[in-house]
Amino acid sequence: RKETLLSLLFVLSTAAVGCADMSVDAGSRSPIYGLGFCNVTDAPMKEVSAEWTVAGDTHGETVGVLGSRMTKIVRGGPRPIPKEFVVKWQTADGATHSQKVERPAIKPDEEHFSGDVWFRISGDGASIVPLTGDEEVRRGWGRRDFLK
């Protein structure tokens, strides 16, 4: 009987740990936001990525191939939100691009920003567009031209 009770306790505690949100690491803060990549051109891109430096260490996210007028989002961006990123991509003609871009100020409360920081890649280069979830809905998130 004691062994059965211990086995049941083990199963229940394992299930509880398995249901916990393990995606938030120690030191991260809510609310969680995403890093979004948006190709506003008429041609696909590949090797699409963004890098940033914190305390001398380089970090990054790669989304790979990004079709014409398509978006991809990676959830759980770094806190504090970096002010400067290097956005990289390769165009259909094989040319590799790398551009340092500075993020605009996020108002009114950068520390509690919830939404997505978008890397908008066009024929003129890359720019950063931070949007709250409400702003994304107003712009018609999901439409291919919402960051046009």
Side-chain angles (χ1 to χ4, degrees):
R1 191 160 256 246
K2 184 177 179 182
E3 291 173 358
T4 304
L5 186 58
L6 287 175
S7 296
L8 181 59
L9 184 60
F10 175 77
V11 168
L12 290 174
S13 65
T14 303
V17 170
C19 292
D21 182 4
M22 304 304 277
S23 64
V24 178
D25 56 21
S28 67
R29 292 180 279 164
S30 292
I32 293 176
Y33 71 95
L35 297 175
F37 296 79
C38 183
N39 173 4
V40 298
T41 72
D42 291 325
M45 302 174 177
K46 61 183 183 178
E47 298 180 26
V48 179
S49 67
E51 295 178 349
W52 60 93
T53 302
V54 176
D57 293 326
T58 301
H59 305 272
E61 290 290 351
T62 300
V63 295
V65 176
L66 197 54
S68 167
R69 305 218 174 267
M70 297 300 291
T71 60
K72 289 186 182 178
I73 298 176
V74 178
R75 292 285 173 215
R79 291 280 184 183
I81 303 169
K83 297 199 183 300
E84 196 172 84
F85 294 85
V86 175
V87 181
K88 299 178 181 183
W89 68 98
Q90 185 179 67
T91 50
D93 63 3
T96 301
H97 303 267
S98 178
Q99 183 179 343
K100 187 181 287 187
V101 289
E102 191 169 314
R103 168 185 60 73
I106 297 174
K107 296 181 181 185
D109 185 3
E110 188 170 305
E111 186 175 329
H112 297 98
F113 173 76
S114 179
D116 297 301
V117 174
W118 287 96
F119 301 106
R120 181 186 183 277
I121 306 171
S122 71
D124 297 326
S127 60
I128 298 177
V129 182
L131 295 174
T132 65
D134 289 342
E135 290 172 316
E136 289 175 334
V137 168
R138 279 195 300 276
R139 285 179 176 228
W141 193 94
R143 287 188 9 223
R144 291 180 176 212
D145 63 346
F146 91 104
L147 277 183
K148 198 170 191 174

